[in-house]
Amino acid sequence: MTTVIPVFVFVAATLMLSSFERYGNKNFGVQGNPKGLKDYYINFFPIGVAIAPNNLEGDQAELIKQNFNSLTAENVMKPALIHPEENRYSWENAERIVKFAQENGMKVRGHTLCWHNQTAAWMFKDSLGNQVSRDLALARLKDHIITVVSHFKGKVYAWDVLNEAVVDDKAIDKIFRESNWYRICGEEYIPKVFQWAHEADPDAILFYNDYNTEDPVKRDKIYNLLKRLLEQHVPVHGVGLQGHWNINGPSERNIREAIEKFSSLGLKVQITELDVSVITSGADTVKTYTPEREQKQADFYKMAFGVFREKKNVITGVTFWNVSDRRSWLDRPDRKSFPLLFDVNLKPKKAFTEVVRF
Ligand code: G3I
């Protein structure tokens, strides 16, 4: 007994010290251990975060500098925000993000050039207020892409050129989302958006970006589309798996298979919008962040990052969608989803510990 107690005290003190050494006072966002997520992953891939310009102030800015080495604009580079009127581009907010990235040695991913959502209504209306012709739609899309990509040439290293163009429908012969772009232009706009982006910045890495990419049916539709584009020598270089997941799925197997399948085309893979909600469906009635859900979330993140590390030869970036549980796009007035690695006080969560423990 007399020898057991000192040994126990010694082991406990050593464990406490080493955990203090790793995590400081556990207050990552503000002070403490200078080692952030990006440092743990320095030999794997950049770790990014999607932000709004107002995240670049105060404690959130400190957390971002400490943990991330890549930024994505959550909204302000999207067509409706950066090109609100035909003859007016609005660069200021996007430029703030680019400037912050440059000052802090971070990369910038551009998001996004062509999407069915957050595109201003004027793009699809002619001077009489009628739906634009196919030719006018393509001319406007070209002007938009060339102008935006040229503006950020040399500052934005990768672009989500085309976002969510494939439909979720289980029917295997239904491939394209019935977006305005598809209805007005047909399939023809798809190779063109990549060609225009490439023309404007030949050094930019060009991505197709989508969600539910782990679902085998949607995965294969996207795979077939990308295969055809590559056979036609369309400049597409990577595929973005958004990674809007929850604690129940997708499975490890489906994540791994999606990465393997897309990379078999010679494409790079990025996880572009990662979050793991503790709410598992619209019908989920649990509104609080229970210890059980917190643990399941930590286990899920551990599994996912295990796969990412295993696939580090093809994964060239992992980006979280929002900074902390203080604000997520998933939040509703009556419900929070707690999907990120930092809590509402910007403290690292159990999931953080699992992501950096390897
Ligand atoms: O800009 C207005 C603001 O003026 C107004 O006061 C406020 C009131 O609600 O709304 C603001 O616009 C909101 C915008 O985010 C900026 O906060 C829109 O209502 C809201 O719909 C919009 O949501 C964004 C969503 O895309 C739009 O579909 C989310 O922030 C953004 O996280 C989300 O991101 C998408 C990716 O781009 C693509 N993949 C899916 C992902 C999640 O939906």
Short mmCIF file of all heavy atoms in Angstrom, two decimals, residues 27-90:
data_model
loop_
_atom_site.label_atom_id
_atom_site.label_comp_id
_atom_site.label_asym_id
_atom_site.label_seq_id
_atom_site.Cartn_x
_atom_site.Cartn_y
_atom_site.Cartn_z
N ASN A 27 -7.79 26.20 -23.36
CA ASN A 27 -8.50 27.33 -23.92
C ASN A 27 -7.83 27.69 -25.24
O ASN A 27 -7.14 28.68 -25.36
CB ASN A 27 -8.44 28.49 -22.93
CG ASN A 27 -9.53 29.50 -23.21
OD1 ASN A 27 -10.19 29.39 -24.24
ND2 ASN A 27 -9.72 30.44 -22.32
N PHE A 28 -8.05 26.84 -26.22
CA PHE A 28 -7.31 26.94 -27.47
C PHE A 28 -7.53 28.24 -28.21
O PHE A 28 -6.65 28.73 -28.88
CB PHE A 28 -7.75 25.83 -28.43
CG PHE A 28 -7.20 24.53 -28.04
CD1 PHE A 28 -7.73 23.83 -26.99
CD2 PHE A 28 -6.12 24.01 -28.73
CE1 PHE A 28 -7.21 22.62 -26.64
CE2 PHE A 28 -5.60 22.80 -28.36
CZ PHE A 28 -6.14 22.10 -27.31
N GLY A 29 -8.76 28.73 -28.15
CA GLY A 29 -9.09 29.88 -28.97
C GLY A 29 -8.37 31.13 -28.52
O GLY A 29 -8.13 32.00 -29.31
N VAL A 30 -8.00 31.23 -27.28
CA VAL A 30 -7.52 32.49 -26.76
C VAL A 30 -6.06 32.42 -26.32
O VAL A 30 -5.26 33.26 -26.64
CB VAL A 30 -8.42 32.94 -25.60
CG1 VAL A 30 -7.99 34.31 -25.10
CG2 VAL A 30 -9.86 32.99 -26.05
N GLN A 31 -5.76 31.38 -25.58
CA GLN A 31 -4.38 31.29 -25.08
C GLN A 31 -4.07 29.82 -24.84
O GLN A 31 -4.83 28.95 -25.20
CB GLN A 31 -4.25 32.07 -23.77
CG GLN A 31 -5.23 31.57 -22.73
CD GLN A 31 -5.49 32.61 -21.67
OE1 GLN A 31 -4.89 33.64 -21.66
NE2 GLN A 31 -6.40 32.32 -20.78
N GLY A 32 -2.94 29.55 -24.22
CA GLY A 32 -2.63 28.16 -23.91
C GLY A 32 -1.70 27.56 -24.94
O GLY A 32 -0.89 28.25 -25.54
N ASN A 33 -1.84 26.28 -25.14
CA ASN A 33 -0.98 25.53 -26.05
C ASN A 33 -0.98 26.13 -27.45
O ASN A 33 -2.03 26.26 -28.06
CB ASN A 33 -1.51 24.09 -26.09
CG ASN A 33 -0.68 23.23 -27.01
OD1 ASN A 33 0.35 23.65 -27.51
ND2 ASN A 33 -1.15 22.02 -27.22
N PRO A 34 0.17 26.52 -27.96
CA PRO A 34 0.19 27.12 -29.29
C PRO A 34 -0.05 26.11 -30.41
O PRO A 34 -0.21 26.51 -31.56
CB PRO A 34 1.59 27.71 -29.38
CG PRO A 34 2.41 26.91 -28.43
CD PRO A 34 1.48 26.47 -27.34
N LYS A 35 -0.08 24.82 -30.10
CA LYS A 35 -0.24 23.84 -31.16
C LYS A 35 -1.71 23.71 -31.53
O LYS A 35 -2.55 23.37 -30.71
CB LYS A 35 0.30 22.49 -30.68
CG LYS A 35 0.63 21.52 -31.78
CD LYS A 35 1.47 20.37 -31.26
CE LYS A 35 1.58 19.30 -32.32
NZ LYS A 35 2.30 18.12 -31.86
N GLY A 36 -2.01 24.02 -32.78
CA GLY A 36 -3.40 23.95 -33.23
C GLY A 36 -3.60 22.78 -34.17
O GLY A 36 -2.65 22.07 -34.51
N LEU A 37 -4.83 22.59 -34.63
CA LEU A 37 -5.16 21.49 -35.54
C LEU A 37 -4.19 21.39 -36.71
O LEU A 37 -3.71 20.32 -37.03
CB LEU A 37 -6.55 21.75 -36.15
CG LEU A 37 -7.79 21.40 -35.36
CD1 LEU A 37 -9.01 21.87 -36.15
CD2 LEU A 37 -7.85 19.90 -35.13
N LYS A 38 -3.95 22.52 -37.33
CA LYS A 38 -3.09 22.55 -38.52
C LYS A 38 -1.70 22.01 -38.22
O LYS A 38 -1.05 21.42 -39.10
CB LYS A 38 -2.99 23.97 -39.08
CG LYS A 38 -2.32 24.95 -38.11
CD LYS A 38 -2.20 26.33 -38.72
CE LYS A 38 -1.79 27.42 -37.76
NZ LYS A 38 -0.81 27.16 -36.72
N ASP A 39 -1.23 22.19 -37.00
CA ASP A 39 0.11 21.73 -36.65
C ASP A 39 0.15 20.21 -36.49
O ASP A 39 1.12 19.57 -36.87
CB ASP A 39 0.58 22.42 -35.37
CG ASP A 39 0.47 23.93 -35.49
OD1 ASP A 39 1.03 24.47 -36.46
OD2 ASP A 39 -0.22 24.56 -34.66
N TYR A 40 -0.91 19.66 -35.91
CA TYR A 40 -0.98 18.20 -35.81
C TYR A 40 -1.01 17.55 -37.20
O TYR A 40 -0.57 16.44 -37.38
CB TYR A 40 -2.22 17.78 -35.02
CG TYR A 40 -2.15 18.11 -33.55
CD1 TYR A 40 -2.71 19.28 -33.05
CD2 TYR A 40 -1.50 17.26 -32.65
CE1 TYR A 40 -2.64 19.59 -31.70
CE2 TYR A 40 -1.44 17.56 -31.30
CZ TYR A 40 -2.01 18.73 -30.83
OH TYR A 40 -1.94 19.02 -29.49
N TYR A 41 -1.58 18.29 -38.16
CA TYR A 41 -1.78 17.71 -39.50
C TYR A 41 -0.77 18.21 -40.53
O TYR A 41 -0.98 18.05 -41.72
CB TYR A 41 -3.23 17.94 -39.95
CG TYR A 41 -4.12 16.89 -39.31
CD1 TYR A 41 -4.64 17.09 -38.04
CD2 TYR A 41 -4.33 15.67 -39.92
CE1 TYR A 41 -5.38 16.10 -37.40
CE2 TYR A 41 -5.07 14.67 -39.30
CZ TYR A 41 -5.59 14.90 -38.05
OH TYR A 41 -6.29 13.90 -37.43
N ILE A 42 0.32 18.79 -40.03
CA ILE A 42 1.28 19.43 -40.94
C ILE A 42 1.83 18.44 -41.97
O ILE A 42 2.11 18.81 -43.11
CB ILE A 42 2.41 20.13 -40.12
CG1 ILE A 42 3.11 21.16 -40.99
CG2 ILE A 42 3.39 19.17 -39.51
CD1 ILE A 42 2.33 22.42 -41.19
N ASN A 43 1.96 17.17 -41.61
CA ASN A 43 2.48 16.18 -42.57
C ASN A 43 1.37 15.45 -43.32
O ASN A 43 1.64 14.43 -43.97
CB ASN A 43 3.36 15.17 -41.85
CG ASN A 43 4.60 15.84 -41.28
OD1 ASN A 43 5.17 16.72 -41.93
ND2 ASN A 43 4.98 15.48 -40.07
N PHE A 44 0.15 15.96 -43.19
CA PHE A 44 -0.97 15.29 -43.86
C PHE A 44 -1.60 16.20 -44.92
O PHE A 44 -1.43 15.98 -46.11
CB PHE A 44 -2.01 14.83 -42.83
CG PHE A 44 -1.49 13.71 -41.96
CD1 PHE A 44 -0.77 13.98 -40.80
CD2 PHE A 44 -1.71 12.39 -42.32
CE1 PHE A 44 -0.28 12.96 -40.02
CE2 PHE A 44 -1.21 11.35 -41.54
CZ PHE A 44 -0.50 11.63 -40.39
N PHE A 45 -2.31 17.21 -44.47
CA PHE A 45 -3.00 18.10 -45.42
C PHE A 45 -3.36 19.39 -44.68
O PHE A 45 -3.42 19.41 -43.44
CB PHE A 45 -4.28 17.45 -45.98
CG PHE A 45 -4.93 16.47 -45.03
CD1 PHE A 45 -5.58 16.91 -43.89
CD2 PHE A 45 -4.86 15.10 -45.26
CE1 PHE A 45 -6.16 16.01 -43.01
CE2 PHE A 45 -5.44 14.18 -44.37
CZ PHE A 45 -6.09 14.65 -43.24
N PRO A 46 -3.59 20.48 -45.44
CA PRO A 46 -4.04 21.72 -44.79
C PRO A 46 -5.40 21.50 -44.11
O PRO A 46 -6.22 20.71 -44.60
CB PRO A 46 -4.18 22.71 -45.94
CG PRO A 46 -3.42 22.12 -47.07
CD PRO A 46 -3.44 20.64 -46.89
N ILE A 47 -5.60 22.22 -43.02
CA ILE A 47 -6.88 22.16 -42.32
C ILE A 47 -7.54 23.54 -42.46
O ILE A 47 -6.98 24.56 -42.03
CB ILE A 47 -6.69 21.84 -40.82
CG1 ILE A 47 -5.92 20.52 -40.62
CG2 ILE A 47 -8.05 21.81 -40.12
CD1 ILE A 47 -6.72 19.25 -40.82
N GLY A 48 -8.71 23.55 -43.07
CA GLY A 48 -9.36 24.82 -43.38
C GLY A 48 -10.63 25.04 -42.58
O GLY A 48 -11.12 24.16 -41.86
N VAL A 49 -11.16 26.26 -42.75
CA VAL A 49 -12.43 26.60 -42.09
C VAL A 49 -13.19 27.59 -42.96
O VAL A 49 -12.59 28.48 -43.58
CB VAL A 49 -12.19 27.15 -40.67
CG1 VAL A 49 -11.38 28.45 -40.68
CG2 VAL A 49 -13.50 27.35 -39.92
N ALA A 50 -14.50 27.41 -43.02
CA ALA A 50 -15.35 28.34 -43.77
C ALA A 50 -15.81 29.43 -42.82
O ALA A 50 -16.30 29.16 -41.72
CB ALA A 50 -16.57 27.61 -44.32
N ILE A 51 -15.65 30.66 -43.28
CA ILE A 51 -15.91 31.79 -42.37
C ILE A 51 -16.71 32.91 -43.02
O ILE A 51 -16.76 33.05 -44.23
CB ILE A 51 -14.58 32.40 -41.86
CG1 ILE A 51 -13.69 32.80 -43.04
CG2 ILE A 51 -13.86 31.46 -40.93
CD1 ILE A 51 -12.66 33.81 -42.65
N ALA A 52 -17.29 33.71 -42.15
CA ALA A 52 -17.89 34.98 -42.55
C ALA A 52 -16.88 36.06 -42.14
O ALA A 52 -16.08 35.85 -41.22
CB ALA A 52 -19.20 35.19 -41.79
N PRO A 53 -16.91 37.23 -42.79
CA PRO A 53 -15.93 38.27 -42.44
C PRO A 53 -15.96 38.61 -40.94
O PRO A 53 -14.91 38.91 -40.35
CB PRO A 53 -16.35 39.46 -43.29
CG PRO A 53 -17.04 38.86 -44.47
CD PRO A 53 -17.72 37.63 -43.95
N ASN A 54 -17.13 38.54 -40.30
CA ASN A 54 -17.14 38.91 -38.88
C ASN A 54 -16.53 37.86 -37.95
O ASN A 54 -16.45 38.06 -36.75
CB ASN A 54 -18.56 39.31 -38.42
CG ASN A 54 -19.53 38.15 -38.45
OD1 ASN A 54 -19.14 37.00 -38.62
ND2 ASN A 54 -20.80 38.46 -38.30
N ASN A 55 -16.08 36.75 -38.52
CA ASN A 55 -15.31 35.80 -37.71
C ASN A 55 -13.86 36.25 -37.54
O ASN A 55 -13.10 35.65 -36.77
CB ASN A 55 -15.27 34.41 -38.36
CG ASN A 55 -16.63 33.74 -38.43
OD1 ASN A 55 -16.96 33.10 -39.42
ND2 ASN A 55 -17.43 33.88 -37.39
N LEU A 56 -13.48 37.30 -38.30
CA LEU A 56 -12.08 37.69 -38.31
C LEU A 56 -11.75 38.73 -37.25
O LEU A 56 -10.82 39.52 -37.40
CB LEU A 56 -11.71 38.22 -39.71
CG LEU A 56 -11.89 37.18 -40.83
CD1 LEU A 56 -11.58 37.78 -42.18
CD2 LEU A 56 -10.98 35.97 -40.56
N GLU A 57 -12.54 38.74 -36.20
CA GLU A 57 -12.30 39.69 -35.10
C GLU A 57 -12.32 38.94 -33.78
O GLU A 57 -12.98 37.91 -33.65
CB GLU A 57 -13.43 40.73 -35.07
CG GLU A 57 -13.36 41.72 -36.21
CD GLU A 57 -14.72 42.31 -36.54
OE1 GLU A 57 -15.64 42.20 -35.70
OE2 GLU A 57 -14.87 42.87 -37.64
N GLY A 58 -11.61 39.51 -32.79
CA GLY A 58 -11.69 39.01 -31.42
C GLY A 58 -11.24 37.58 -31.24
O GLY A 58 -10.32 37.11 -31.94
N ASP A 59 -11.90 36.87 -30.31
CA ASP A 59 -11.44 35.53 -29.95
C ASP A 59 -11.54 34.53 -31.11
O ASP A 59 -10.73 33.61 -31.22
CB ASP A 59 -12.18 35.02 -28.70
CG ASP A 59 -13.70 35.08 -28.81
OD1 ASP A 59 -14.21 35.54 -29.85
OD2 ASP A 59 -14.37 34.65 -27.85
N GLN A 60 -12.53 34.74 -31.99
CA GLN A 60 -12.64 33.80 -33.12
C GLN A 60 -11.44 33.95 -34.07
O GLN A 60 -10.93 32.96 -34.60
CB GLN A 60 -13.92 34.04 -33.89
CG GLN A 60 -15.15 33.73 -33.06
CD GLN A 60 -16.39 33.75 -33.90
OE1 GLN A 60 -16.70 32.80 -34.60
NE2 GLN A 60 -17.13 34.84 -33.84
N ALA A 61 -10.98 35.17 -34.28
CA ALA A 61 -9.82 35.38 -35.15
C ALA A 61 -8.61 34.66 -34.56
O ALA A 61 -7.82 34.04 -35.29
CB ALA A 61 -9.54 36.86 -35.31
N GLU A 62 -8.47 34.74 -33.25
CA GLU A 62 -7.32 34.08 -32.60
C GLU A 62 -7.41 32.57 -32.78
O GLU A 62 -6.42 31.90 -33.07
CB GLU A 62 -7.25 34.45 -31.12
CG GLU A 62 -6.91 35.92 -30.87
CD GLU A 62 -5.70 36.38 -31.70
OE1 GLU A 62 -4.65 35.72 -31.64
OE2 GLU A 62 -5.82 37.39 -32.42
N LEU A 63 -8.61 32.04 -32.59
CA LEU A 63 -8.80 30.60 -32.75
C LEU A 63 -8.48 30.17 -34.19
O LEU A 63 -7.82 29.15 -34.43
CB LEU A 63 -10.23 30.20 -32.40
CG LEU A 63 -10.52 28.69 -32.55
CD1 LEU A 63 -11.34 28.17 -31.39
CD2 LEU A 63 -11.23 28.38 -33.84
N ILE A 64 -8.92 30.98 -35.14
CA ILE A 64 -8.68 30.66 -36.55
C ILE A 64 -7.18 30.65 -36.85
O ILE A 64 -6.65 29.72 -37.45
CB ILE A 64 -9.43 31.67 -37.47
CG1 ILE A 64 -10.94 31.43 -37.35
CG2 ILE A 64 -8.97 31.55 -38.91
CD1 ILE A 64 -11.80 32.53 -37.96
N LYS A 65 -6.48 31.67 -36.36
CA LYS A 65 -5.03 31.75 -36.63
C LYS A 65 -4.31 30.54 -36.03
O LYS A 65 -3.35 30.04 -36.57
CB LYS A 65 -4.45 33.03 -36.03
CG LYS A 65 -4.77 34.26 -36.85
CD LYS A 65 -3.93 35.43 -36.41
CE LYS A 65 -4.79 36.46 -35.72
NZ LYS A 65 -4.09 37.62 -35.21
N GLN A 66 -4.77 30.14 -34.86
CA GLN A 66 -4.08 29.06 -34.17
C GLN A 66 -4.31 27.68 -34.80
O GLN A 66 -3.44 26.83 -34.78
CB GLN A 66 -4.55 29.02 -32.72
CG GLN A 66 -3.76 28.04 -31.87
CD GLN A 66 -4.14 28.13 -30.40
OE1 GLN A 66 -4.98 28.94 -30.01
NE2 GLN A 66 -3.53 27.30 -29.60
N ASN A 67 -5.50 27.51 -35.37
CA ASN A 67 -5.88 26.14 -35.75
C ASN A 67 -5.95 25.85 -37.24
O ASN A 67 -5.94 24.69 -37.63
CB ASN A 67 -7.24 25.80 -35.13
CG ASN A 67 -7.12 25.58 -33.64
OD1 ASN A 67 -6.68 24.52 -33.22
ND2 ASN A 67 -7.47 26.59 -32.86
N PHE A 68 -6.04 26.89 -38.06
CA PHE A 68 -6.32 26.63 -39.47
C PHE A 68 -5.27 27.27 -40.38
O PHE A 68 -4.76 28.34 -40.07
CB PHE A 68 -7.71 27.16 -39.83
CG PHE A 68 -8.80 26.53 -38.99
CD1 PHE A 68 -9.35 27.20 -37.90
CD2 PHE A 68 -9.25 25.25 -39.28
CE1 PHE A 68 -10.34 26.61 -37.12
CE2 PHE A 68 -10.24 24.65 -38.50
CZ PHE A 68 -10.79 25.33 -37.41
N ASN A 69 -5.00 26.58 -41.51
CA ASN A 69 -4.09 27.20 -42.49
C ASN A 69 -4.72 27.28 -43.88
O ASN A 69 -4.02 27.39 -44.88
CB ASN A 69 -2.72 26.51 -42.52
CG ASN A 69 -2.83 25.01 -42.60
OD1 ASN A 69 -3.90 24.47 -42.81
ND2 ASN A 69 -1.71 24.32 -42.43
N SER A 70 -6.04 27.25 -43.91
CA SER A 70 -6.76 27.44 -45.16
C SER A 70 -8.12 28.06 -44.84
O SER A 70 -8.75 27.68 -43.85
CB SER A 70 -6.94 26.09 -45.85
OG SER A 70 -7.71 26.22 -47.02
N LEU A 71 -8.55 28.99 -45.67
CA LEU A 71 -9.86 29.64 -45.44
C LEU A 71 -10.75 29.47 -46.67
O LEU A 71 -10.28 29.47 -47.81
CB LEU A 71 -9.69 31.15 -45.18
CG LEU A 71 -8.91 31.58 -43.94
CD1 LEU A 71 -8.92 33.12 -43.85
CD2 LEU A 71 -9.48 30.97 -42.67
N THR A 72 -12.04 29.35 -46.40
CA THR A 72 -13.06 29.38 -47.44
C THR A 72 -14.08 30.44 -47.01
O THR A 72 -14.40 30.53 -45.82
CB THR A 72 -13.80 28.02 -47.54
OG1 THR A 72 -12.86 26.99 -47.80
CG2 THR A 72 -14.84 28.02 -48.65
N ALA A 73 -14.57 31.21 -47.98
CA ALA A 73 -15.65 32.14 -47.66
C ALA A 73 -16.94 31.34 -47.60
O ALA A 73 -17.32 30.70 -48.58
CB ALA A 73 -15.74 33.21 -48.73
N GLU A 74 -17.60 31.39 -46.46
CA GLU A 74 -18.85 30.61 -46.33
C GLU A 74 -19.90 31.09 -47.32
O GLU A 74 -20.65 30.28 -47.87
CB GLU A 74 -19.40 30.72 -44.90
CG GLU A 74 -20.65 29.88 -44.69
CD GLU A 74 -21.31 30.10 -43.34
OE1 GLU A 74 -20.81 30.94 -42.56
OE2 GLU A 74 -22.32 29.44 -43.07
N ASN A 75 -19.97 32.40 -47.53
CA ASN A 75 -20.99 32.96 -48.44
C ASN A 75 -20.47 34.02 -49.40
O ASN A 75 -20.97 34.14 -50.51
CB ASN A 75 -22.15 33.56 -47.62
CG ASN A 75 -23.04 32.49 -47.02
OD1 ASN A 75 -23.68 31.71 -47.74
ND2 ASN A 75 -23.09 32.42 -45.70
N VAL A 76 -19.49 34.82 -48.96
CA VAL A 76 -19.27 36.10 -49.66
C VAL A 76 -18.58 36.00 -51.03
O VAL A 76 -18.44 37.03 -51.70
CB VAL A 76 -18.55 37.13 -48.75
CG1 VAL A 76 -19.39 37.45 -47.52
CG2 VAL A 76 -17.15 36.69 -48.38
N MET A 77 -18.18 34.81 -51.45
CA MET A 77 -17.69 34.68 -52.83
C MET A 77 -18.74 34.06 -53.75
O MET A 77 -18.48 33.84 -54.93
CB MET A 77 -16.41 33.85 -52.88
CG MET A 77 -15.17 34.56 -52.41
SD MET A 77 -13.68 33.61 -52.79
CE MET A 77 -12.45 34.57 -51.91
N LYS A 78 -19.90 33.76 -53.20
CA LYS A 78 -20.95 33.13 -54.02
C LYS A 78 -21.53 34.14 -55.00
O LYS A 78 -21.53 35.36 -54.72
CB LYS A 78 -22.04 32.57 -53.11
CG LYS A 78 -21.58 31.34 -52.32
CD LYS A 78 -22.59 30.94 -51.29
CE LYS A 78 -22.16 29.71 -50.53
NZ LYS A 78 -23.06 29.42 -49.40
N PRO A 79 -22.05 33.67 -56.14
CA PRO A 79 -22.49 34.60 -57.19
C PRO A 79 -23.40 35.72 -56.68
O PRO A 79 -23.17 36.89 -57.00
CB PRO A 79 -23.21 33.68 -58.18
CG PRO A 79 -22.54 32.36 -58.01
CD PRO A 79 -22.16 32.26 -56.56
N ALA A 80 -24.42 35.41 -55.89
CA ALA A 80 -25.38 36.46 -55.49
C ALA A 80 -24.72 37.54 -54.65
O ALA A 80 -25.15 38.70 -54.68
CB ALA A 80 -26.53 35.85 -54.69
N LEU A 81 -23.69 37.18 -53.90
CA LEU A 81 -23.07 38.16 -53.01
C LEU A 81 -21.95 38.94 -53.69
O LEU A 81 -21.77 40.13 -53.43
CB LEU A 81 -22.58 37.47 -51.72
CG LEU A 81 -23.75 37.07 -50.81
CD1 LEU A 81 -24.17 35.64 -51.05
CD2 LEU A 81 -23.42 37.30 -49.36
N ILE A 82 -21.21 38.27 -54.55
CA ILE A 82 -20.07 38.95 -55.15
C ILE A 82 -20.46 39.66 -56.46
O ILE A 82 -19.76 40.55 -56.93
CB ILE A 82 -18.91 37.95 -55.37
CG1 ILE A 82 -17.57 38.66 -55.29
CG2 ILE A 82 -19.03 37.17 -56.67
CD1 ILE A 82 -16.40 37.77 -55.00
N HIS A 83 -21.61 39.27 -57.01
CA HIS A 83 -22.06 39.82 -58.31
C HIS A 83 -23.55 40.11 -58.23
O HIS A 83 -24.36 39.51 -58.94
CB HIS A 83 -21.74 38.77 -59.40
CG HIS A 83 -21.79 39.31 -60.79
ND1 HIS A 83 -21.48 38.51 -61.87
CD2 HIS A 83 -22.10 40.53 -61.30
CE1 HIS A 83 -21.61 39.22 -62.99
NE2 HIS A 83 -21.99 40.44 -62.66
N PRO A 84 -23.91 41.07 -57.34
CA PRO A 84 -25.34 41.27 -57.06
C PRO A 84 -26.13 41.89 -58.19
O PRO A 84 -27.34 41.72 -58.27
CB PRO A 84 -25.33 42.20 -55.83
CG PRO A 84 -24.00 42.86 -55.84
CD PRO A 84 -23.05 41.90 -56.49
N GLU A 85 -25.44 42.66 -59.04
CA GLU A 85 -26.13 43.27 -60.19
C GLU A 85 -25.28 43.03 -61.42
O GLU A 85 -24.06 42.85 -61.31
CB GLU A 85 -26.30 44.78 -59.98
CG GLU A 85 -27.23 45.15 -58.84
CD GLU A 85 -27.14 46.62 -58.49
OE1 GLU A 85 -27.05 47.46 -59.42
OE2 GLU A 85 -27.11 46.93 -57.29
N GLU A 86 -25.91 43.11 -62.58
CA GLU A 86 -25.18 42.75 -63.80
C GLU A 86 -23.86 43.51 -63.94
O GLU A 86 -22.84 42.94 -64.28
CB GLU A 86 -26.06 42.97 -65.03
CG GLU A 86 -25.33 42.54 -66.29
CD GLU A 86 -26.25 42.27 -67.46
OE1 GLU A 86 -27.42 42.70 -67.42
OE2 GLU A 86 -25.79 41.61 -68.41
N ASN A 87 -23.92 44.82 -63.67
CA ASN A 87 -22.70 45.60 -63.88
C ASN A 87 -22.03 46.00 -62.58
O ASN A 87 -21.32 47.00 -62.51
CB ASN A 87 -23.03 46.85 -64.71
CG ASN A 87 -23.50 46.44 -66.09
OD1 ASN A 87 -22.87 45.59 -66.72
ND2 ASN A 87 -24.62 47.00 -66.52
N ARG A 88 -22.26 45.21 -61.54
CA ARG A 88 -21.61 45.54 -60.26
C ARG A 88 -21.12 44.28 -59.55
O ARG A 88 -21.89 43.37 -59.28
CB ARG A 88 -22.60 46.29 -59.34
CG ARG A 88 -21.95 46.70 -58.02
CD ARG A 88 -22.83 47.70 -57.26
NE ARG A 88 -24.02 47.08 -56.71
CZ ARG A 88 -24.07 46.48 -55.52
NH1 ARG A 88 -22.99 46.41 -54.76
NH2 ARG A 88 -25.21 45.95 -55.09
N TYR A 89 -19.84 44.29 -59.29
CA TYR A 89 -19.25 43.25 -58.44
C TYR A 89 -19.00 43.86 -57.07
O TYR A 89 -18.68 45.04 -56.95
CB TYR A 89 -17.93 42.73 -59.04
CG TYR A 89 -18.14 41.79 -60.21
CD1 TYR A 89 -18.29 42.28 -61.50
CD2 TYR A 89 -18.19 40.42 -60.02
CE1 TYR A 89 -18.49 41.43 -62.58
CE2 TYR A 89 -18.39 39.55 -61.09
CZ TYR A 89 -18.54 40.06 -62.36
OH TYR A 89 -18.73 39.21 -63.41
N SER A 90 -19.11 43.03 -56.04
CA SER A 90 -18.92 43.52 -54.68
C SER A 90 -17.78 42.71 -54.04
O SER A 90 -17.99 41.59 -53.57
CB SER A 90 -20.24 43.31 -53.92
OG SER A 90 -20.08 43.62 -52.58
#
